Amino acid sequence: MGFQMKGPVLEGALVRLEPLGHRHAAGLAEAAEEHRDSYAFTWVPRAHEIGDYVDAQLARAATGMLAPYAQVSLASGRVVGATAYWEPRCWRSDDRLDAVEVGFTWLASSAQGTGVNAESKLLLFRHAFEEWGVARVDLKTDARNSRSRAAIERTGARPEGVLRNWSRSWAPGEDGLLRDSAIYSVTAAEWPACRDRLSERVRRAARAAGATVR
């Protein structure tokens, strides 16, 4: 039958990751229309594009290549962004997941710097390593996106290099062009230290927000 990539609900102290559905569209549209200056190299749909965006993500999910999530703030109950597991790789057998990417991530400006991203990564990494038993989790971003690269590095992921002309550019004015992608990873051997690092960041953010770490 082979490995079936379906991400369950994942909940922490600050954020709940819910499998993406049309019920999240209104919240995503509101989140996407907050201050957008931080999206220079990341494509985030406009409010009027959210319906097509959700349809496209669900179509990718139907192929088994994507498990998309809505990120929901536990403090407000609002949808504050999206993320996903992407590109599962089963190298040793059809039913054993060896590697997966975490990507398609964006957050409303009001949720950035609040610990939501750190906890989302903690929840996604933990499930991948401890439930699916992967050997690695990887992340990619536009090589020019210093903000995204810094956020990835704060998770404890290690840089592996830059893949030239690797994927479509999402930067304004670059339709039809390719971008260089910076790739990062966490391996199973590195996961315990990465988990401790992310957990401490989440504890600090939760204390600041008056939330209880589970």
Side-chain angles (χ1 to χ4, degrees):
M1 184 174 179
F3 176 80
Q4 302 292 310
M5 191 171 71
K6 294 183 179 179
V9 173
L10 300 172
E11 184 169 323
L14 302 171
V15 66
R16 181 171 61 253
L17 302 182
E18 300 178 357
L20 181 68
H22 287 288
R23 69 189 183 281
H24 298 114
L28 287 170
E30 182 178 347
E33 289 301 327
E34 290 187 14
H35 191 62
R36 294 177 60 91
D37 283 359
S38 65
Y39 301 150
F41 295 102
T42 301
W43 183 75
V44 176
R46 304 301 305 233
H48 69 276
E49 298 172 316
I50 288 293
D52 289 341
Y53 168 79
V54 173
D55 285 342
Q57 293 296 76
L58 295 180
R60 293 185 180 102
T63 70
M65 293 299 292
L66 185 78
Y69 282 101
Q71 302 189 70
V72 179
S73 165
L74 293 180
S76 67
R78 294 178 54 234
V79 177
V80 294
T83 190
Y85 288 118
W86 171 237
E87 198 180 4
R89 278 148 284 158
C90 302
W91 293 313
R92 288 175 287 187
S93 69
D94 289 342
D95 58 1
R96 177 176 179 174
L97 184 65
D98 290 304
V100 70
E101 182 176 338
V102 169
F104 286 93
T105 301
W106 60 271
L107 278 174
S109 61
S110 61
Q112 296 173 21
T114 65
V116 165
N117 182 60
E119 188 167 50
S120 291
K121 295 299 190 293
L122 176 62
L123 294 170
L124 292 165
F125 291 1
R126 177 185 288 153
H127 187 77
F129 284 114
E130 299 180 11
E131 299 300 325
W132 286 338
V134 300
R136 64 175 277 143
V137 170
D138 44 78
L139 308 95
K140 293 196 291 285
T141 190
D142 191 307
R144 300 167 295 179
N145 191 342
S146 57
R147 184 188 183 101
S148 178
R149 294 182 70 163
I152 291 172
E153 289 169 8
R154 284 195 297 272
T155 70
R158 295 177 60 177
E160 294 189 332
V162 173
L163 304 175
R164 297 178 298 167
N165 290 343
W166 180 252
S167 64
R168 172 183 176 182
S169 174
W170 297 105
E174 294 188 356
D175 289 350
L177 300 182
L178 297 174
R179 76 177 196 190
D180 293 349
S181 292
I183 187 165
Y184 295 79
S185 70
V186 180
T187 67
E190 295 162 350
W191 165 236
C194 177
R195 179 186 57 213
D196 291 346
R197 179 175 182 167
L198 283 170
S199 295
E200 179 55 33
R201 287 182 58 196
V202 171
R203 279 193 289 270
R204 291 198 302 267
R207 283 195 297 267
T212 300
V213 178
R214 298 168 185 262

